[in-house]
Amino acid sequence: MPIIKARANRVRIVRHICRLQEPNRDTLLAYARFIGDSADYILNQLIETTLARDREFTTWRAEHA
């Protein structure tokens, strides 16, 4: 069962260029194929789910809105 579910709704997309280590890029593309969605969506979901678990960051972000 995939950890990241296929997207349910669409949100405004902005462009951000970054560089990935090749093994991470390969894993990202494979996971995108696995769930049938885009690599962009996978990255966005990873950011949402991973950073949401960082309590120190969420506290800091609330203080620095």
Side-chain angles (χ1 to χ4, degrees), residues 50-65:
T50 304
L51 298 184
R53 285 188 248 149
D54 186 333
R55 292 183 183 168
E56 187 175 348
F57 172 67
T58 54
T59 301
W60 177 87
R61 191 165 184 196
E63 295 169 356
H64 296 85

Side-chain angles (χ1 to χ4, degrees), residues 1-62:
M1 173 188 274
I3 295 172
I4 298 173
K5 307 291 186 214
R7 74 178 96 191
N9 59 6
R10 304 287 177 176
V11 179
R12 181 174 171 252
I13 302 294
V14 295
R15 183 178 175 110
H16 177 83
I17 298 171
C18 68
R19 295 163 52 144
L20 297 174
Q21 296 172 354
E22 189 172 6
N24 290 338
R25 192 265 333 251
D26 295 344
T27 302
L28 173 64
L29 295 177
Y31 198 89
R33 284 192 309 271
F34 171 64
I35 69 163
D37 216 314
S38 69
D40 295 341
Y41 175 71
I42 304 304
L43 287 173
N44 280 293
Q45 289 303 110
L46 286 170
I47 291 168
E48 284 182 27
T49 58
T50 304
L51 298 184
R53 285 188 248 149
D54 186 333
R55 292 183 183 168
E56 187 175 348
F57 172 67
T58 54
T59 301
W60 177 87
R61 191 165 184 196

